[in-house]
Amino acid sequence: MDYRKQAIECVKDTVLPLHARQFRECGGNLDLQYMKYGDTATFFAEILEPGHVYEVGYPSCVCPRLQYGETRKPEHCECSRQSILYILENLLPEKQITVETLETVLTGGSRCRFRVTVE
C-alpha cells in the first residue's frame, strides 16, 4: 500500500490548508504555531527543542478508515506519519524533516505520538 499517496489525498484539501493558515498567521514560526494551536481536542504539539524537535500527535485515532471500520492494522499508522511529514514539508520546504512514530492507538498506545525533527 502506498501510504504516502493515501496520506496526501487525506490531508491536502483539509488539514494542510488549516495548518498553512495557522503557520502564516504565526509569521511562519512553527514554535509559535504549536504554542497557539498545539492543544486541541484532536491535535497536540509539544516543543522539545525550539526550532528543532517536537512531539506531535492525536489524543485518539483520527483516521477515517479506522472510524469507518475499513482497517485496524497497526501498519496503517504509517499513513498518519506520512501526513505529518507531508504537511511539514509543505510548510517548511527548505528544511529537512523527519517524523518518527513513537506510539499509536493501533499498536496499543494510549494516543498517537510522533517525534518531528527539523534540520
Side-chain angles (χ1 to χ4, degrees):
M1 172 158 299
D2 186 348
Y3 289 114
R4 175 71 174 191
K5 182 177 179 183
Q6 188 174 341
I8 291 169
E9 283 301 311
C10 185
V11 301
K12 68 181 172 83
D13 297 323
T14 54
V15 182
L16 176 60
L18 172 67
H19 280 259
R21 180 188 54 76
Q22 293 172 352
F23 189 67
R24 285 189 308 273
E25 180 186 308
C26 293
N29 185 311
L30 196 59
D31 291 0
L32 291 178
Q33 179 182 2
Y34 285 170
M35 281 189 274
K36 186 170 184 176
Y37 296 104
D39 186 18
T40 70
T42 57
F43 177 77
F44 65 84
E46 182 180 343
I47 302 163
L48 302 179
E49 294 178 33
H52 183 58
V53 181
Y54 308 88
E55 184 177 302
V56 302
Y58 319 104
S60 61
C61 183
V62 296
C63 177
R65 294 196 64 205
L66 176 78
Q67 293 168 355
Y68 295 130
E70 295 175 24
T71 188
R72 291 210 52 85
K73 296 179 180 178
E75 56 268 16
H76 187 74
C77 299
E78 174 63 13
C79 189
S80 291
R81 190 188 77 79
Q82 288 291 334
S83 67
I84 293 166
L85 181 59
Y86 172 73
I87 290 166
L88 290 172
E89 287 173 341
N90 275 269
L91 298 182
L92 301 164
E94 73 287 355
K95 301 288 188 177
Q96 177 68 38
I97 312 290
T98 56
V99 179
E100 172 191 0
T101 304
L102 299 175
E103 72 172 317
T104 67
V105 172
L106 291 181
T107 59
S110 61
R111 56 190 181 155
C112 300
R113 296 174 38 234
F114 303 86
R115 181 181 180 98
V116 173
T117 305
V118 178
E119 299 291 346

